[in-house]
Amino acid sequence: MAIRDSLEEEVLIALVRAAWLAAARSNAVTAAAGLSPSQYNVLRILRAAGRGGLSCTEIGARMVTRDSDLTRLMSGLERARLVVRGTAADDRRRSTNRITAAGKAVLRRLDRDVADAAQQTLGPVGRPRLTALRDLLVAFAPPQTEGLT
């Protein structure tokens, strides 16, 4: 007997399976460098933030997946000397996180391998379909969506 799912269920299942495959390939690359997917994501976010750095709240809003304990995650990256934490110049109550030269070096070493994993996973789909898929996914889950639990 065949399973009869609604179109929405079929799409959701396909989306979850595709995300799992993509994550598995990407996570293998970051794990080889001793980083969890969340740690890698934080480093990418801080590299893009530039010299000003970001607060934990700002980092959390930009994460691909929500980490339940971002403070612990940041502490681990700080112990590894991949980030530095300090106070904001304009508000001493606000902590600011910045990527270090060592953190940038780790990302530079991973950039090609992560890009290769993405190419292996999604390259066969072709650019026109990838563009359409990206547009659909952004419409479904806009970047930096606030309030997700």
Side-chain angles (χ1 to χ4, degrees):
M1 181 188 289
I3 298 173
R4 297 193 188 275
D5 292 327
S6 68
L7 176 59
E8 291 82 1
E9 288 173 304
E10 287 181 27
V11 170
L12 185 59
I13 290 166
L15 181 61
V16 170
R17 287 175 53 101
W20 181 84
L21 174 63
R25 288 184 176 159
S26 178
N27 295 349
V29 172
T30 60
L35 294 175
S36 71
S38 293
Q39 288 173 321
Y40 173 72
N41 192 15
V42 167
L43 292 177
R44 285 183 61 244
I45 290 165
L46 289 175
R47 175 172 62 180
R51 296 178 150 212
L54 295 170
S55 70
C56 281
T57 301
E58 293 166 321
I59 293 168
R62 291 169 173 79
M63 294 285 286
V64 172
T65 57
R66 302 298 185 231
D67 193 287
S68 62
D69 193 354
L70 192 54
T71 302
R72 177 191 48 78
L73 183 71
M74 296 307 299
S75 293
L77 290 169
E78 184 178 36
R79 278 192 304 278
R81 294 191 162 95
L82 300 177
V83 302
V84 292
R85 299 163 83 182
T87 55
D90 60 338
D91 183 355
R92 299 197 50 80
R93 296 170 295 174
R94 182 175 162 255
S95 76
T96 303
N97 304 280
R98 293 178 184 82
I99 191 168
T100 64
K104 289 177 185 176
V106 167
L107 288 181
R108 279 193 304 275
R109 286 193 304 272
L110 289 173
D111 282 342
R112 179 83 259 146
D113 292 338
V114 170
D116 288 346
Q119 174 61 35
Q120 282 180 339
T121 303
L122 297 169
V125 173
R127 295 210 47 92
R129 285 183 174 168
L130 281 178
T131 300
L133 178 59
R134 181 206 52 218
D135 294 346
L136 287 168
L137 292 173
V138 168
F140 172 72
Q144 300 180 22
T145 301
E146 298 292 332
L148 291 180
T149 57

